[in-house]
């Protein structure tokens, strides 16, 4: 018993289908352009005008995108700068507090050890 696998692929050669499709696209593209060129008597075709319009629009879009990107970039830079300065200031304040606490602990340890030594020696307590 033979089993056949059916595929949805066309049995026509691919080169013929491509040739027919390319011819249809080329024919559809040539008809409107030749008619527009005959109607336009001032030397510029509709395709040129459309191209100029598209180019002008793309230029405007690019300029707007550049300006928007510049504004976003400046805003991000300013925000980053502000955050950096705030973090730096907080670190300085924290470092100063830690330094003062360390000095206080160090002085207390020094004074306590001196008092311990005096007590071991039997010296009188200083006021």
């Amino acid at each position: 018993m033979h089993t056949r696998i059916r595929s949805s692929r066309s049995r026509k050669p691919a080169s013929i289908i491509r040739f027919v499709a390319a011819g249809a696209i080329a024919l559809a593209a040539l008809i409107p352009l030749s008619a527009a060129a005959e109607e336009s008597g001032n030397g510029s075709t509709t395709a040129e005008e459309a191209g100029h319009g598209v180019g002008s629009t793309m230029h405007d879009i690019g300029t707007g995108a550049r300006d928007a990107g510049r504004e976003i970039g400046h805003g991000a830079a300013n925000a980053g700068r502000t955050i950096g300065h705030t973090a730096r200031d907080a670190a300085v304040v924290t470092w100063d507090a830690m330094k003062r606490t360390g000095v206080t602990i160090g002085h207390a340890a020094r004074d306590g050890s001196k008092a311990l030594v005096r007590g071991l020696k039997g010296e009188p307590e200083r006021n």
Side-chain angles (χ1 to χ4, degrees), residues 116-125:
L116 177 66
V117 170
R118 275 193 231 93
L120 290 174
K121 287 182 179 180
E123 295 178 2
E125 189 175 323

Side-chain angles (χ1 to χ4, degrees), residues 1-2 6 8 13-14 16 33 38 43 59 63 66 69 78 80 82 86 91 98 104-106 115 119-121 123 127:
M1 177 192 259
H2 292 287
R6 292 184 178 218
S8 60
I16 294 173
L33 289 179
E38 289 175 9
H59 180 267
T63 303
R66 180 197 64 205
N78 290 337
T82 301
T86 303
M98 288 174 56
T104 302
I105 291 170
L120 290 174
K121 287 182 179 180
E123 295 178 2
N127 289 333

Side-chain angles (χ1 to χ4, degrees), residues 4-14 17:
R4 287 179 39 179
I5 299 173
R6 292 184 178 218
S7 70
S8 60
R9 186 172 172 196
S10 172
R11 301 223 184 267
K12 295 179 184 174
I17 295 172

Side-chain angles (χ1 to χ4, degrees), residues 6-66:
R6 292 184 178 218
S7 70
S8 60
R9 186 172 172 196
S10 172
R11 301 223 184 267
K12 295 179 184 174
S15 60
I16 294 173
I17 295 172
R18 287 184 189 140
F19 179 75
V20 171
I25 291 172
L27 184 61
L30 289 177
I31 291 173
L33 289 179
S34 62
E38 289 175 9
E39 291 177 7
S40 173
N42 60 2
S44 67
T45 64
T46 304
E48 286 177 290
E49 293 169 359
H52 182 72
V54 168
S56 177
T57 302
M58 294 301 288
H59 180 267
D60 293 343
I61 290 170
T63 303
R66 180 197 64 205

